[in-house]
């Protein structure tokens, strides 16, 4: 039986509109799913039950009065590096374990103004860059949900929440979205303001929605996109109507598939699923073209990513370096590396970035969108953190961001969607990339692909088991429930 | 920087970036993004 927690954003809004469901029932349904599953998934760090129920009650009244706002009564969650006024915001770190912000991040204010109901703050790698050995992949609890937006992705995959917000600096939305079979949007750099979000690297940080479908991601981006004075890198481009052309299909669209870099190190099953996605779109009327991006092999993208991140995170955390022992071991390692970045290397990395941008500019003269693997491999086991590329096992952190960090470096939008299951039954992902500020085409292509394939509707076994589980009454008188931060041990990578 | 990263860093250092025409970062990259991915 379908429960309200199983519905996506657009489906929930339609249920409210038709009067077949209410926001309070939806919050209760999500809460019940969290109660049943989250002890094993560990996506939720802080539950804001009272706040969500109050917001849902107010939303129910607005629906009754015909005054519903764009996300009226939609339960949502936030990666816990995103500030929430009056609610603990930890950054996943002991350093900020008790921090209660006085004001919320700009995107939170926008979600609240649109009627969304905050139900949970979600586990994250420490400051979006360290490690988190807590959150499990709902498709296989022995496997990682990756990160750094671990909880944000796992909560959507486990159908605990229909919408969460994550952040992406080298692939922290795209990689976990691919591993957990959900839809993750990394918008254009500057499209969504980072005001009130703990930074990892101001040059590369992006915030975006994680949902079950491209349509849901479009509804969420509609609300959180747009200029904000609090983020000096926030873009001033007008926010278009992202759902207006989403049903336009792909007939006549030119889809590019890169011939280099993205497939140089990639599991054959993931690569095959990406090429099959291109053929699926071709059968629907798109034309598919090979595109060359020679600079991606030449400039050493991983070096650009690490040089920028190490230097900027090191600068950002200089204010609390006297509390170094309170950071987790992985973040301590990263901060140590940041002490040795030469200024000339940092500036060289910034300048090299534009070479890659120019390569993408040339490629986009011939195509409207590109398809690349969402991540080069499927989710590894917690006890064997390697990237399995065919029969070869590679160090995970050497290759995990190969198909994702490049888009943080150049600032292009990507949407990562499920491309099917591998032979082990684990999700694989494919990403659609477009020109800056052309998220509308990302949504159009991804929506068409999801309508054609239905890959995004496949469910983890955990949810099949949950369907048979006993339903206990849901307690709503819980106020705020705070779980402890669990810092990864020295042996944990993720 | 850590040892594993040394080879990648050396490769980045070897990328030829011209002296002229002059450009300033990060402004060039940001302007390119704001201009929809177009240089002109």
């Amino acid at each position: 039986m379908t429960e309200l927690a199983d519905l996506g954003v657009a489906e929930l809004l339609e249920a409210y509109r038709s009067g077949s469901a209410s926001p309070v029932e939806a919050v209760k349904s999500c809460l019940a799913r969290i109660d049943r599953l989250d002890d094993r998934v560990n996506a939720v760090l802080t539950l804001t039950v009272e706040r969500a129920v109050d917001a849902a009650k107010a939303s129910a009244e607005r629906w009754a009065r015909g005054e519903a706002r764009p996300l009226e009564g939609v339960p949502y969650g936030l990666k816990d590096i995103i500030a929430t006024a009056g609610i603990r915001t930890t950054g996943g770190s002991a350093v900020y374990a008790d921090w209660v912000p006085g004001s919320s991040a700009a995107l939170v204010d926008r979600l609240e103004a649109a009627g969304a109901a905050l139900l949970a703050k979600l586990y994250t790698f420490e400051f979006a860059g360290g490690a988190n050995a807590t959150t499990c992949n709902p498709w296989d609890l022995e496997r990682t949900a990756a990160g750094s937006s671990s909880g944000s992705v796992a909560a959507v995959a486990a159908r605990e929440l229909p919408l969460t917000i994550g952040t992406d600096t080298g692939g922290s939305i795209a990689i976990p979205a691919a591993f957990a079979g959900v839809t993750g949007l990394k918008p254009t750099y500057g499209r969504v303001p980072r005001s009130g979000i703990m930074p990892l690297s101001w040059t590369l940080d992006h915030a975006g929605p994680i949902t079950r479908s491209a349509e849901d991601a479009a509804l969420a981006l509609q609300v959180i996109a747009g200029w904000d004075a609090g983020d000096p890198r926030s873009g001033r481009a007008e926010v278009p109507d992202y759902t207006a052309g989403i049903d336009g299909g792909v007939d006549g669209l030119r889809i590019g598939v890169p011939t280099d870099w993205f497939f140089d190190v990639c599991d054959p099953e993931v690569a095959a699923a990406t090429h099959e996605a291109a053929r699926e779109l071709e059968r629907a009327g798109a034309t598919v073209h090979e595109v060359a991006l020679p600079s991606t092999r030449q400039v050493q993208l991983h070096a650009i990513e690490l040089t920028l991140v190490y230097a900027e995170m090191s600068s950002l955390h200089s204010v609390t370096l006297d509390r170094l022992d309170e950071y987790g071991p992985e973040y301590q390692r990263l901060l140590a590396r940041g002490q040795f970045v030469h200024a000339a290397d940092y500036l060289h990395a910034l300048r090299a970035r534009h070479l890659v941008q120019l390569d993408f500019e040339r490629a986009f003269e011939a195509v409207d969108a590109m398809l690349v693997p969402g991540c080069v491999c499927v989710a590894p086991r917690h006890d064997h953190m390697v990237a399995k590329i065919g029969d070869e096992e590679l160090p995970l952190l050497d290759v995990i961001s190969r198909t994702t960090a490049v888009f943080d470096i150049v600032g292009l939008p990507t949407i990562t969607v499920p491309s099917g299951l591998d032979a082990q039954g684990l999700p694989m992902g494919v990403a659609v990339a477009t020109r800056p500020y052309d998220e509308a085409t990302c949504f159009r292509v991804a929506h068409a692909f999801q309508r054609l394939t239905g890959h995004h509707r496949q469910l983890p076994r955990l949810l099949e088991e949950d369907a048979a589980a006993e339903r206990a009454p849901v307690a709503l008188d819980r106020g705020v429930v705070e779980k402890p931060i669990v810092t990864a041990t020295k042996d944990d990578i993720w | 920087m850590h040892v594993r990263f040394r080879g990648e860093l050396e490769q980045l250092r070897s990328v030829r970036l011209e002296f002229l025409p002059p450009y300033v970062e990060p402004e060039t990259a940001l302007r390119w993004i704001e201009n929809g991915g177009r240089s002109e």
Side-chain angles (χ1 to χ4, degrees):
Chain A
M1 188 186 78
T2 300
E3 299 176 45
L4 292 178
D6 297 321
L7 301 185
V9 175
E11 295 164 329
L12 267 181
L13 291 171
E14 183 51 37
Y16 300 156
R17 193 173 292 118
S18 69
S20 64
S22 80
V24 177
E25 290 170 331
V27 166
K28 282 177 71 172
S29 181
C30 289
L31 197 51
R33 178 68 52 74
I34 290 168
D35 286 348
R36 291 197 301 276
L37 297 187
D38 205 62
D39 281 352
R40 285 172 282 167
V41 175
N42 285 315
V44 174
L45 178 62
T46 303
L47 269 177
T48 54
V49 181
E50 188 176 358
R51 177 185 174 126
V53 171
D54 287 349
K57 286 177 179 170
S59 289
E61 291 171 10
R62 277 185 169 265
W63 278 105
R65 291 199 305 267
E67 297 172 0
R69 296 164 293 179
L71 296 176
E72 194 70 67
V74 174
Y76 79 101
L78 296 167
K79 184 175 183 174
D80 204 35
I81 63 168
I82 302 172
T84 40
I87 299 168
R88 181 184 71 155
T89 301
T90 68
S93 177
V95 179
Y96 278 78
D98 302 315
W99 185 51
V100 178
S103 58
S104 293
L107 68 82
V108 177
D109 288 337
R110 291 175 181 179
L111 286 163
E112 304 281 309
L118 178 67
L119 180 57
K121 302 294 295 288
L122 303 159
Y123 274 108
T124 170
F125 286 12
E126 186 171 23
F127 298 122
N132 162 24
T134 307
T135 306
C136 299
N137 192 321
W139 285 83
D140 178 349
L141 297 173
E142 299 297 317
R143 291 177 188 268
T144 181
S148 60
S149 306
S150 331
S152 300
V153 159
V156 174
R159 306 300 193 257
E160 294 177 352
L161 290 165
L163 165 65
T164 64
I165 304 295
T167 61
D168 196 306
T169 302
S172 287
I173 290 174
I175 295 167
F179 280 7
V182 300
T183 298
L185 176 81
K186 183 206 81 69
T188 304
Y189 182 80
R191 178 74 292 185
V192 174
R194 288 101 34 105
S195 333
I197 301 176
M198 292 176 175
L200 172 60
S201 160
W202 60 80
T203 297
L204 301 174
D205 290 342
H206 302 67
I210 296 158
T211 57
R212 296 179 200 148
S213 71
E215 182 184 15
D216 288 358
L219 291 167
L221 184 67
Q222 196 71 55
V223 166
I224 62 175
W227 181 81
D228 179 72
D231 181 354
R233 297 283 167 82
S234 172
R236 290 182 179 271
E238 192 178 330
V239 179
D241 183 343
Y242 290 119
T243 55
I246 199 167
D247 287 318
V250 294
D251 192 19
L253 274 187
R254 302 167 301 167
I255 305 290
V257 180
T259 52
D260 35 30
W261 181 255
F262 293 92
F263 295 95
D264 288 350
V265 179
C266 185
D267 183 70
E269 285 191 80
V270 174
T274 305
H275 290 299
E276 177 54 29
R279 284 192 291 273
E280 192 74 57
L281 295 172
E282 193 170 35
R283 287 191 286 272
T287 57
V288 176
H289 310 265
E290 290 187 344
V291 293
L293 295 160
S295 72
T296 52
R297 280 181 176 152
Q298 293 159 5
V299 301
Q300 194 38 262
L301 293 162
H302 199 215
I304 294 178
E305 176 196 3
L306 294 186
T307 301
L308 296 177
V309 170
Y310 288 164
E312 292 179 10
M313 73 191 292
S314 194
S315 171
L316 287 161
H317 288 273
S318 59
V319 68
T320 40
L321 274 188
D322 58 334
R323 298 169 62 189
L324 191 60
D325 57 337
E326 294 177 51
Y327 288 84
E330 176 63 11
Y331 214 83
Q332 288 180 13
R333 270 196 290 265
L334 300 178
L335 287 173
R337 290 167 187 170
Q339 303 303 310
F340 298 98
V341 177
H342 297 183
D345 288 333
Y346 176 79
L347 294 168
H348 202 71
L350 281 181
R351 294 179 68 207
R353 177 169 66 146
H354 190 53
L355 290 183
V356 191
Q357 289 182 326
L358 294 176
D359 232 9
F360 274 95
E361 179 176 340
R362 284 187 286 272
F364 273 116
E365 287 171 4
V367 298
D368 303 302
M370 287 187 204
L371 280 191
V372 302
C375 180
V376 296
C377 60
V378 296
R381 295 174 57 88
H382 282 299
D383 60 0
H384 192 53
M385 295 294 274
V386 297
K388 200 159 180 310
I389 308 295
D391 294 330
E392 197 177 0
E393 292 183 345
L394 300 177
L396 188 66
L397 298 187
D398 285 4
V399 298
I400 190 78
S401 63
R402 275 186 72 93
T403 63
T404 57
V406 59
F407 296 110
D408 295 293
I409 290 168
V410 297
L412 300 181
T414 64
I415 188 165
T416 304
V417 299
S419 60
L421 304 180
D422 75 350
Q424 305 172 85
L426 296 170
M428 302 177 289
V430 60
V432 182
T434 58
R435 291 185 187 86
Y437 291 103
D438 192 14
E439 282 84 356
T441 300
C442 280
F443 293 133
R444 181 176 159 193
V445 174
H447 181 62
F449 180 68
Q450 292 185 325
R451 285 205 304 191
L452 289 164
T453 65
H455 291 317
H456 66 302
R457 296 200 176 278
Q458 290 185 292
L459 293 175
R461 255 195 316 277
L462 184 68
L463 284 165
E464 292 171 17
E465 294 164 15
D466 183 59
E470 188 180 337
R471 268 43 184 166
V474 184
L476 296 180
D477 54 344
R478 280 184 265 180
V480 174
V481 182
E482 296 180 345
K483 290 209 269 183
I485 299 159
V486 180
T487 305
T489 69
K490 202 167 184 178
D491 294 328
D492 293 317
I493 302 176
W494 283 358
Chain B
M1 298 290 259
H2 56 111
V3 174
R4 290 179 65 87
F5 179 57
R6 173 61 59 181
E8 296 176 355
L9 182 60
E10 290 298 339
Q11 194 178 334
L12 172 60
R13 285 173 173 166
S14 72
V15 172
R16 184 181 169 88
L17 297 169
E18 300 296 341
F19 178 61
L20 294 173
Y23 64 93
V24 180
E25 291 302 341
E27 281 76 6
T28 312
L30 294 175
R31 191 175 60 192
W32 183 85
I33 292 168
E34 285 301 297
N35 201 33
R38 293 175 179 87
S39 299
E40 300 301 329

